[in-house]
Amino acid sequence: MGRVAELAGVSVRTLHHYDEIGLVQPSARSAIGYRAYSAGDVERLREVLAYRRLGFGLREIADLVDDPTTDAVAHLHRLRGLLLEQRDRAAAMVAAIDRELEARAMGIRTTPEEQLKVFGAQLYEAIGSAYPATRRTEPRIAAQIWDALGDAQTVLNVGAGTGSYEPADRNVTAVEPSAVMRGQRAAGSAPCVAAAAESLPFEDQSFDVAMAVSTVHHWGDPIAGLHEMRRVARRVVVLTFDTDEPGWQDRFWLTRDYLPEFAGVLAGFPSLAGMADAIGARAEPVPIPWDCADGFFEAYWRRPEAYLEEHVRRAMSVWTRVGPKVEQRAVGRLREDLASGRWEERNRDLSGLDAADLGLRLLVA
């Protein structure tokens, strides 16, 4: 026990406590009778310590590690998702600190209320509230997705987030690793399982169709997640993004003229052809309406002023990924070009379009 405590960075007293409450009990004995940890015990201890360091209480941890539907791989995927969520939270706080430093350098003092809102307990709630405020179901895109579902009655929504695009007339089960997103799902929405796409806790062919909407780029291993969707469902429908076309980053004026770093955000993202091959799918273009209700990254292609709004950008993961300095530069240049008329001059051809093809694709298998 002393050696395990040393390796794990905890006290022997902590391990004794875990043993006493039945959380992690050594299942072996040494030749002279000392308690010893088997490989399975160590694996369980690792999970307990990881959840503990993420802030979970011991009763919550006991429920998590005793869940019979979750194996070691599923725990690793869940922990990875929680850590990424924690990383994004830290990045948002760093961005808030940078804005505060910039304001102070200009002689601007934030109010006590603003300071508490940005740096206090409300920080993540404020960040999270931006998502449901701007990310809503776009009916025209939903119609295309739901048409692809066909006559499916049982639907698995993978990476479901707050529940946008879940069809109300089907039997839906949602999967979402983020506790923040799960907490924002509306009352009465589909039951939601805490799991990762790469390790779905369902039997083979459990659903008529598995769907995933604008989420694949958040997965640690997109191809593995797609294979899992194919395993648990007879058909698969995925809304994703096409980076196969040469010069794809020039399709959208924001990435072409202001945010070339966007290409780096998707570095390593699988090709559309690779994703289609993984599930045996065909690809359909998904036009984005000029007045799109869902505030994803490309949604405001004909409403450029929206990208100047902080709450709009906070609901787009791209800005967190590129960092505050890049964000401030891009937004500053856009603001200047809108004021001078340069943006309108460059993009005057957009004013007559009702919809645009900016690379959004629906994979249907």
Side-chain angles (χ1 to χ4, degrees), residues 340-362:
S340 69
R342 191 177 297 115
W343 183 91
E344 186 176 2
E345 182 179 346
R346 285 178 180 166
N347 301 284
R348 61 176 70 254
D349 58 318
L350 300 182
S351 62
L353 299 180
D354 291 329
D357 181 0
L358 297 178
L360 209 59
R361 295 290 182 267
L362 192 65

Side-chain angles (χ1 to χ4, degrees), residues 38 135 165 188 215 248 255:
S38 68
R135 301 299 300 273
Y165 301 99
T215 178
W248 62 267
T255 55

Side-chain angles (χ1 to χ4, degrees), residues 161-191:
T162 59
S164 296
Y165 301 99
E166 290 178 1
D169 60 342
R170 324 284 178 109
N171 181 7
V172 178
T173 299
V175 166
E176 172 53 51
S178 168
V180 173
M181 289 296 187
R182 293 197 305 273
Q184 295 178 56
R185 293 176 62 84
S189 60

Side-chain angles (χ1 to χ4, degrees), residues 75-212:
H75 278 297
L76 288 173
H77 282 301
R78 179 186 287 163
L79 288 165
R80 184 181 187 280
L82 290 167
L83 286 166
L84 288 173
E85 186 178 303
Q86 193 175 76
R87 180 202 64 185
D88 290 344
R89 186 175 185 172
M93 179 166 278
V94 169
I97 291 171
D98 286 344
R99 287 190 292 273
E100 172 82 3
L101 289 171
E102 183 180 2
R104 292 194 176 218
M106 297 169 62
I108 302 171
R109 291 297 298 268
T110 54
T111 67
E113 291 81 5
E114 290 171 329
Q115 291 171 12
L116 289 174
K117 184 175 181 180
V118 171
F119 298 110
Q122 298 180 30
L123 173 66
Y124 205 48
E125 285 75 7
I127 296 168
S129 67
Y131 195 95
T134 62
R135 301 299 300 273
R136 298 181 292 274
T137 299
E138 164 49 53
R140 287 154 289 191
I141 294 177
Q144 188 170 349
I145 295 171
W146 296 343
D147 182 63
L149 298 180
D151 60 359
Q153 291 304 304
T154 56
V155 179
L156 179 68
N157 187 16
V158 181
T162 59
S164 296
Y165 301 99
E166 290 178 1
D169 60 342
R170 324 284 178 109
N171 181 7
V172 178
T173 299
V175 166
E176 172 53 51
S178 168
V180 173
M181 289 296 187
R182 293 197 305 273
Q184 295 178 56
R185 293 176 62 84
S189 60
C192 191
V193 177
E198 297 90 341
S199 183
L200 296 173
F202 305 105
E203 298 293 330
D204 294 357
Q205 305 293 288
S206 298
F207 300 90
D208 292 334
V209 63
M211 61 181 281

